[in-house]
Amino acid sequence: MTKNSWQSTASKDVIIERALMLKNIRAFFDAHSVIEVETPLLSHYSTTDPHLNSLRSSFREQTCYLNASPEYAMKRLLAECQQAIYQICKAFRDDELGQYHNPEFTMLEWYRPGYDLLQLMEELAALIETLCRNTTIEPGFEYLSYQQAFEKVTGFNPHQITSSECYQFAVSNNIEIPQGLTAIDEVDDWLDWLLTQRVLPAFKKDGFTFLYDYPASQCALARIESNAEQVAVAKRFELFFGELELANGFFELTDADEQLRRFQQENQRRIQAGKEVAGIDENFIAALVHGLPDCSGVAVGLDRLLMTLSRTKAIDQVLSFSWDRA
Amino acid sequence: MATYSTNQFKNGLKIILDGDPCSITENNVVKPGKGQAFNKVKAKNLRTGRVLERTFKSTESVEAADVDEMNVEYLYSDGEAWHFMEPTSFEQYAADAVAVGDAVKWIKGQEVCVMTLWDGSPLAITPPNFVELAVAQTDPGLKGDTAQGATKPATLETGTEVKVPLFINEGDILKIDTRNGEYVSRA
């Protein structure tokens, strides 16, 4: 503990910039007739996502979890209200700490009934354009499919590559291979690694890039559809500023049976990875059975967006009290 | 064999990399949005002092290095080894020239040093930040030379040469900063 550890890790300017950002986001959604909602931060359920670890708490000696994302609860509201909703809330994730990660962070999430993936990307771009006013950021947006982005810098089609081909590619291109990543690992682990090593560094340094139509195996809660070449892709996008991921969006899966099957598969992968099996949120599945409108939804990491707007280099610089001072 | 998982990584954690004990100096999570996370680590090799960079697939395990640090008193050298004593247990340790390294330039006996042990054997010796040593030899300063910052070489009782102000004489006791090898003041 240092002498100044009672003080904020953010400057006063950035603290003011955050207040302005939140005000402008609320004004944007108010003008677009999207209503603000609140859902529980503390839940009986964690997430089945094999790459996320929920933080756990307890209520009357019963384990409960801090939400890793408000997605399930917001979709329950969506099934009931059938109208556009947004939320600004905290989300919590274990093991995530570093230059761009804090175990507790602020998320903006919204859902648009009737929107497809492109319409939602355009609305996100419009929101960011609004927020870039009076900053030094020039809001320009590139749209690249996952396949285009990989083909441009690696020459291979990510929808057809295997793990051992990725391994060969890394070896022949002198790309560092992380300890523990082998030719028999899942191809998605390799694609994630090559994305960080080759694809993201080729993105425009001082601009925004939408990466969309992910491999079907990385669908998470997105629908799978055929692209123009009749390859099944996940209707999912991520938004980056330079190499920094800011948002993740889906053309939302509404099929309850398919959703349940994916949760069970994810739990299988958790078992293989030696992680605890996550209870499946039956209320969420029941809401899908009741009927989720066709919709797209997106989650934006507001701390990272504020880093972009304020041109700061570490998440600590935009948090009042980062983890080591929390 | 004790191991650490990547989610236990933090600064100062001692792990084995390339067969040598290393201390983590930087640990960053690399994650392209959803999906597999990786840990990008910088670590200092405690034997060579070199800094390594390494990436791990998250949840990977790495062998733990059994590294301890303790305060010890320097006793004497027999020419081949340097002998140190832990002052509460009186246990003695013999460190070789590699482990003692540059510390040999600053210690003459009775200094309290930090000894780094790996699997119970001395790996490195860190001398106190400041030591007091007598000047064994130096040329007399020129009378009337008052130029600011002018220095001359002086050989200390340990045989080490340092730059000192012109007014320093043989037999003076000097305070030296061992981290940069610079004269601080007369003791």
Side-chain angles (χ1 to χ4, degrees), chain B residues 36-185:
Chain B
Q36 179 64 46
F38 300 92
N39 289 63
K40 246 186 158 48
V41 166
K42 281 189 187 168
K44 186 179 168 188
N45 184 320
L46 294 174
R47 207 171 52 77
T48 64
R50 280 205 349 227
V51 174
L52 305 168
E53 287 191 44
R54 214 39 76 79
T55 307
F56 299 87
K57 185 179 163 183
S58 296
T59 70
E60 182 71 2
S61 290
V62 184
E63 190 182 342
D66 177 13
V67 172
D68 273 331
E69 280 187 349
M70 60 167 79
N71 288 327
V72 290
E73 190 182 316
Y74 174 46
L75 300 176
Y76 64 96
S77 169
D78 58 21
E80 278 178 16
W82 284 256
H83 297 270
F84 297 84
M85 182 181 72
E86 203 286 313
T88 50
S89 67
F90 303 110
E91 195 169 342
Q92 292 193 21
Y93 296 86
D96 62 16
V98 177
V100 176
D102 275 355
V104 72
K105 288 158 73 173
W106 311 115
I107 53 178
K108 62 184 167 90
Q110 296 186 340
E111 292 87 356
V112 175
C113 301
V114 175
M115 184 166 67
T116 308
L117 291 153
W118 178 30
D119 289 339
S121 305
L123 180 71
I125 301 290
T126 310
N129 289 346
F130 298 101
V131 290
E132 291 182 0
L133 294 167
V135 176
Q137 192 280 322
T138 190
D139 292 334
L142 290 170
K143 244 204 167 94
D145 188 341
T146 55
Q148 285 294 313
T151 60
K152 62 178 181 176
T155 306
L156 303 173
E157 58 185 312
T158 54
T160 306
E161 195 172 278
V162 291
K163 287 200 168 71
V164 298
L166 302 179
F167 58 80
I168 297 296
N169 298 313
E170 284 179 12
D172 286 352
I173 311 284
L174 307 185
K175 185 177 178 184
I176 308 289
D177 186 334
T178 63
R179 291 164 295 185
N180 52 20
E182 282 175 13
Y183 162 90
V184 179
S185 63

Side-chain angles (χ1 to χ4, degrees), chain A residues 38-263:
Chain A
E38 279 190 359
T39 57
L41 292 184
L42 201 57
S43 168
H44 298 285
Y45 296 100
S46 59
T47 171
T48 52
D49 186 327
H51 296 302
L52 291 185
N53 299 309
S54 297
L55 281 168
R56 102 190 22 232
S57 184
S58 69
F59 176 72
R60 293 183 176 160
E61 297 178 8
Q62 287 269 342
T63 298
C64 51
Y65 303 89
L66 291 166
N67 81 326
S69 139
E71 181 152 9
Y72 305 160
M74 286 184 78
K75 284 181 176 170
R76 284 164 61 191
L77 280 184
L78 205 56
E80 191 166 346
C81 305
Q82 306 276 323
Q83 87 138 70
I85 54 172
Y86 81 97
Q87 173 161 219
I88 295 170
C89 67
K90 288 294 184 79
F92 303 83
R93 292 177 186 180
D94 199 358
D95 294 339
E96 298 194 359
L97 182 64
Q99 188 180 354
Y100 305 117
H101 294 88
N102 195 66
E104 170 180 347
F105 60 100
T106 303
M107 198 174 243
L108 161 65
E109 185 150 326
W110 81 94
Y111 291 88
R112 276 292 203 172
Y115 274 34
D116 64 16
L117 205 60
L118 181 62
Q119 284 173 297
L120 189 65
M121 285 193 270
E122 285 172 348
E123 184 165 56
L124 173 54
L127 170 65
I128 287 176
E129 271 174 26
T130 308
L131 299 177
C132 285
R133 276 180 211 147
N134 305 319
T135 72
T136 59
I137 306 291
E138 280 287 322
F141 296 86
E142 290 210 37
Y143 291 79
L144 280 175
S145 77
Y146 196 88
Q147 183 177 340
Q148 287 168 336
F150 265 84
E151 282 178 341
K152 213 165 84 173
V153 293
T154 66
F156 68 71
N157 180 345
H159 300 306
Q160 288 167 354
I161 198 99
T162 65
S163 295
S164 59
E165 286 165 344
C166 287
Y167 172 78
Q168 286 305 327
F169 177 84
V171 170
S172 51
N173 287 280
N174 231 346
I175 296 170
E176 182 192 3
I177 297 173
Q179 201 161 317
L181 186 62
T182 68
I184 56 161
D185 273 298
E186 286 182 40
V187 70
D188 289 324
D189 293 352
W190 277 99
L191 291 174
D192 283 336
W193 176 242
L194 295 175
L195 189 76
T196 66
Q197 297 302 295
R198 278 296 189 272
V199 178
L200 300 185
F203 283 3
K204 196 171 167 221
K205 292 274 172 291
D206 207 36
F208 297 92
T209 306
F210 280 105
L211 189 65
Y212 64 91
D213 285 1
Y214 273 66
S217 49
Q218 297 181 31
C219 58
L221 288 88
R223 284 195 209 189
I224 294 174
E225 288 183 353
S226 292
N227 68 6
E229 292 163 33
Q230 299 308 309
V231 175
V233 294
K235 299 309 282 180
R236 168 184 161 202
F237 73 81
E238 290 204 352
L239 173 67
F240 296 85
F241 182 79
E243 297 181 44
L244 182 62
E245 183 236 0
L246 298 176
N248 178 82
F250 300 136
F251 181 39
E252 303 290 348
L253 181 68
T254 53
D255 180 332
D257 294 337
E258 168 70 7
Q259 185 65 70
L260 187 59
R261 200 176 55 77
R262 287 190 195 174
F263 280 160

